[in-house]
Amino acid sequence: MDVFEAVAEPTRRHLISLLAERERTAGELVDSLPSLTQPAVSRHLRVLRETGLVEVRPDGQRRIYALKPDGLQRIDDWITPYRRFWRDHLDALQQHLEDE
Amino acid sequence: MDVFEAVAEPTRRHLISLLAERERTAGELVDSLPSLTQPAVSRHLRVLRETGLVEVRPDGQRRIYALKPDGLQRIDDWITPYRRFWRDHLDALQQHLEDE
DNA sequence: GGCGTATATAAGCGCAAGGTTATAAATCGA
DNA sequence: TCGATTTATAACCTTGCGCTTATATACGCC
């Protein structure tokens, strides 16, 4: 699975936003998603690990998950060339409003 | 389907890059993807339409597809708050290198 | 009107993703 | 050491996606 598919899943985006606040143990993340079972969350975390979006370090019997800085950058790199499209569009809109 | 799932598919990212160069007819897009059949491409275009990533206008019996400026922006909006992560990381790395 | 071209939809199929329950593996604490 | 806790994996099931072939729909042209 690649980064785009990893991020396409709403639950995984939720996990990413939780880890953006601060690093958390697997158990805390499970508790943050009461609609899912522990194995389901564990599988999502595995996907995030394997796509390089998060990293883990052991702390006794706990696993502490943290957001990896450069994971999402690959998506940003892809989107960068397209950014001019809506930027140009907004510029044109602004110009139009100023002309009135 | 939402924008993230739409963009998660490699073929659809390919179509987006083709439409970023210039607008094209459905037939041109089909010809650009020789590994796929016409209905397959048509379905991908439908997804891109329904997620607001492209727009179509008829030209006789042809359909001309064009990239919609604000479609990908929704992904960019999502990624924006996370951008500081790798920016800070790069800053820290640069600082570290300068310190040596 | 009738035929060829261009595009979209329908129906069916295989496969992978995400969910569950059950269980393994590792560590902590009494 | 042994039971409880924490996390990961296994096995299985269902659903949805993307592909195909076949067909519908719409338009251009003679």
Side-chain angles (χ1 to χ4, degrees), chain A residues 40-56:
Chain A
V41 177
S42 186
R43 280 188 73 91
H44 284 305
L45 289 173
R46 178 181 185 167
V47 170
L48 293 175
R49 255 185 287 134
E50 291 175 350
T51 53
L53 287 166
V54 305
E55 58 191 358
V56 208

Side-chain angles (χ1 to χ4, degrees), chain A residues 21-95:
Chain A
E21 297 174 12
R22 54 180 163 84
E23 53 184 30
R24 301 176 195 246
T25 66
E28 287 176 313
L29 294 171
V30 170
D31 293 342
S32 300
L33 296 168
S35 62
L36 290 186
T37 59
Q38 176 267 323
V41 177
S42 186
R43 280 188 73 91
H44 284 305
L45 289 173
R46 178 181 185 167
V47 170
L48 293 175
R49 255 185 287 134
E50 291 175 350
T51 53
L53 287 166
V54 305
E55 58 191 358
V56 208
R57 68 172 194 278
D59 175 36
Q61 57 186 332
R62 320 276 175 93
R63 302 293 170 94
I64 299 179
Y65 280 83
L67 201 58
K68 255 183 105 174
D70 53 345
L72 291 169
Q73 193 177 5
R74 276 174 285 166
I75 294 181
D76 199 61
D77 289 346
W78 171 78
I79 216 173
T80 293
Y82 302 112
R83 197 165 287 129
R84 64 178 179 87
F85 281 94
W86 66 83
R87 192 177 295 148
D88 293 354
H89 185 251
L90 288 177
D91 288 352
L93 179 64
Q94 189 171 4
Q95 194 63 45

